[in-house]
Amino acid sequence: MAKDTKPRRPRAETPKGFRDYFGAEVTERNRMLEKIAEVYRLHGFDALETSGVETVEALGKFLPDVDRPNAGVFAWQEEAVPGGGHGDWLALRYDLTAPLARVAAQYRNDLPSPYRRYAMGPVWRNEKPGPGRFRQFYQCDADTVGAASVAADAEIIAMLADALEAAGIARGDYLVRVNNRKVLNGVLEAMGVTDAHQAAAVLRTIDKFDKVGEAGVRELLTTGRTDASGAEIEGVGLQPAQADPVIAFLTSRGETNDETLSNLRIAVGASAMGAEGADELAQIAATLDAMGMGADRVVIDPSVVRGLGYYTGPVFEAELTFEILDDKGRKRQFGSVAGGGRYDDLVERFTGQKVPATGVSIGVDRLLAALREKGLAGADMAGPVVVTVMDRDRMADYQSMAAELRAAGIRAEVYLGNPKNFGNQLKYADKRGAPVAVIQGADEAARGVVQVKDLVLGAKIAAQASVEEWKAQPAQVEVPRGDLVRAVSEILSR
Amino acid sequence: MAKDTKPRRPRAETPKGFRDYFGAEVTERNRMLEKIAEVYRLHGFDALETSGVETVEALGKFLPDVDRPNAGVFAWQEEAVPGGGHGDWLALRYDLTAPLARVAAQYRNDLPSPYRRYAMGPVWRNEKPGPGRFRQFYQCDADTVGAASVAADAEIIAMLADALEAAGIARGDYLVRVNNRKVLNGVLEAMGVTDAHQAAAVLRTIDKFDKVGEAGVRELLTTGRTDASGAEIEGVGLQPAQADPVIAFLTSRGETNDETLSNLRIAVGASAMGAEGADELAQIAATLDAMGMGADRVVIDPSVVRGLGYYTGPVFEAELTFEILDDKGRKRQFGSVAGGGRYDDLVERFTGQKVPATGVSIGVDRLLAALREKGLAGADMAGPVVVTVMDRDRMADYQSMAAELRAAGIRAEVYLGNPKNFGNQLKYADKRGAPVAVIQGADEAARGVVQVKDLVLGAKIAAQASVEEWKAQPAQVEVPRGDLVRAVSEILSR
């Protein structure tokens, strides 16, 4: 059949797991990131933008003998080099830390040390897409490389609080909570846990503190526990007394940082590592104090456990404390929007040298969602004033009106579709979210006037009415042509 | 040997043909793009951000039976779908127009029509890298999809002029020149050229007008030409009289747009297509006039030939007219930084329908280079004030000083490296481009004062001198601790 010989048209589809961002979605995110970047620059951090593509070797996720490296990243092999050797494997970056490690090693003789840098941009993950989970998304990181002092951690913690406020989160609506992996290590020493597997099991148990509470943690650390569904969960097998330091650690938060620190020093007992961790937290608290960071913004809180397994020293997390309604209509705190901590193996795999580093990552989509939740994003992203076209031969006049409006800083455009059907122009203005329409037919032009229509008031009726009905709306005023900008400004300021 | 058993460390290298951008390189570009985006939004254009990844099918560069699509793009195949079928081929976008075409087709029922959008972001080309040519670079596009009227072209042309000024190019330092492919088609008709191959040969010849001039074009269109190196270049084989309309076309620019248009109408003779093209240019000229765009900003200029082969209607190009020195120290005009025009096949391959579109693309790296050439980029990208550390136990004090400076809007940081060697701190401040260093040792602290050092004056000597010598520099002042911010502000305002 003739039908079969016709080549199939290509599908116009976003690839699976990717999405497109339109208008305010783009500008709101960019504005938020730029406000954060300003805070980072003010703190002496420099921008770094690496390309989206790295060698798989530099990313370091894969064994060199894997045939097709694809676990978690998008990767491909370069063409073979003429005259020998196969091409490099390249991949899209999966985060902003791996490229920082590469840069810190590659330019180690040229970069200032310590090197403070921020980076904002897309990263890619070759994962099964799910609802709200995309294979390209934004990250926003700031790190200090080469500073062993916890003053660097304190600085980043304070900077995070400033960044959240710059983005629009009010003081009182967020809290940065600080903990330290070294204190936990001290607790493990005080417990007499030296086996790495057992330590890991304790960490996993601590992670469940929020869910199962003190009694549950005690059960999990010792003989095990029966959960709500009746399932038996095996215990770590410690003696009941061994659980005491962990409980002391998790519940050590006092009314003040000083009180918390006293409790922590008790929890770590005689452990030197634990004392070092508590000293570091004390130093961080003192530095934050000197920087004017009150307890309404940052607190020492040993119940922060996220990231304790990954980081090697101070760990911190920023939570938004206001309530939202979840999917089921129940109130809950908005929760975590940023986190970070100290890690010391950033460039070691490249250079063999341990370089201390500490950093923070803000969850871009989470924070943006929070700003939207609070009505703080996109207030100024209204659609443009639409100058309608009543008379096709007078396009130059209409363009001149739009140009005048723009010269006054008002977003404006001329309708550029087929002007025949005036209803289409109004539907268009509606689709654009236009706050105002400007109309000038032949009779208005002859009388030297224009019609200025408030669409926020009249939108719904307008989409169905005829030109005549539409003109009769009370939200519409006729003004001298020379008063166009003034009349539009007036409506916009309503 | 033991040496051989040690695993090789990964190389810390940017992949071939890619590069990293540091500090001001990033912020200057972002600021320039944001200024341009503001102009685009003011004109009613909406942001669109598609992901870096598209299906190869949507990009449409490749035949479906090609085993490994890699001519010009970075592409890879998705994992096979469990239970049948091989995975889609995905690729990094090579420009911002192909994703626009996909979006315009995919969302055609939801987008306003006409759809004005701008897009800014990286694109990727799998090409052999060369000096100054990278495999990832930025594009900055604005297009109107679905507007047949040349009012849309006029609007984009005016917007381009506004965007260049917003970016920092002064009026008089640029010129947007406008031509029309339909006029050229009229000229071809007037010449009696109907064969497509011959028409293409005429287009190629026109492209050489800048180099070989009127006499050279006449030779190339007829019997051929011997170039400067003595090489024989074959002619198109037209009769001498047939060359007249082309020459008339190329040399038709007059003192005013009206004069140019009269000359063009003569060049196209009796061609209806040519007359239509001239009418369109006349309409564009009238619209630009109504928008207040003078001949110092935009002119009709038929000698613009770039893009005539690609576009189907109006074509335009923005040139920077100031002079720079080229690699060999010779003066030359900076040249083209943006171009665009009308094309009508944007979504046809997806939907089968021709949709008129017109757009502009600004050469991001070129324009940024021009701003740097004029000293207009990065004026405010000075390094931070560095608070040095004389006394490791008083980090909190130093952090407090930096916090005060930041609260006054001054970029400031505390030195976070090992403070033992003060010379290293000064070298660090130098590397950071710090304008000011703040110093407070134990004696200054006891006396309640700080030392504030102008590094712009003293940088060179400072890097070598001892603490004592360095303190003796005249650029250094001792002020009460309470006057820190005032003293630093004073130096910065010098």
Side-chain angles (χ1 to χ4, degrees), chain A residues 214-269:
Chain A
E214 181 179 329
V217 166
R218 278 190 191 277
E219 287 172 353
L220 287 170
L221 287 174
T222 54
T223 53
R225 181 169 187 271
T226 310
D227 76 7
S229 69
E232 292 290 332
I233 296 155
E234 211 187 333
V236 180
L238 301 178
Q239 296 303 312
Q242 281 184 294
D244 291 343
V246 171
I247 299 301
F249 169 71
L250 287 171
T251 60
S252 57
R253 182 162 165 197
E255 288 291 310
T256 62
N257 284 341
D258 281 348
E259 205 179 300
T260 305
L261 287 165
S262 304
N263 294 339
L264 278 183
R265 287 186 204 281
I266 295 165
V268 299

Side-chain angles (χ1 to χ4, degrees), chain A residues 276-356:
Chain A
E276 187 182 319
D279 286 348
E280 285 183 0
L281 285 176
Q283 198 185 326
I284 288 173
T287 307
L288 289 169
D289 207 43
M291 295 170 91
M293 289 279 144
D296 54 337
R297 307 177 71 189
V298 186
V299 291
I300 307 294
D301 185 348
S303 72
V304 175
V305 292
R306 252 204 3 185
L308 275 184
Y310 171 70
Y311 294 111
T312 57
V315 197
F316 47 90
E317 188 166 20
E319 287 190 333
L320 301 190
T321 51
F322 57 82
E323 287 182 332
I324 55 163
L325 298 180
D326 69 10
D327 296 345
K328 290 169 185 161
R330 289 171 306 206
K331 277 189 181 178
R332 62 165 184 83
Q333 283 208 347
F334 191 91
S336 177
V337 291
R342 176 165 288 274
Y343 51 102
D344 290 325
D345 54 355
L346 188 72
V347 301
E348 194 178 5
R349 49 184 291 273
F350 292 111
T351 65
Q353 289 184 303
K354 275 197 189 294
V355 172

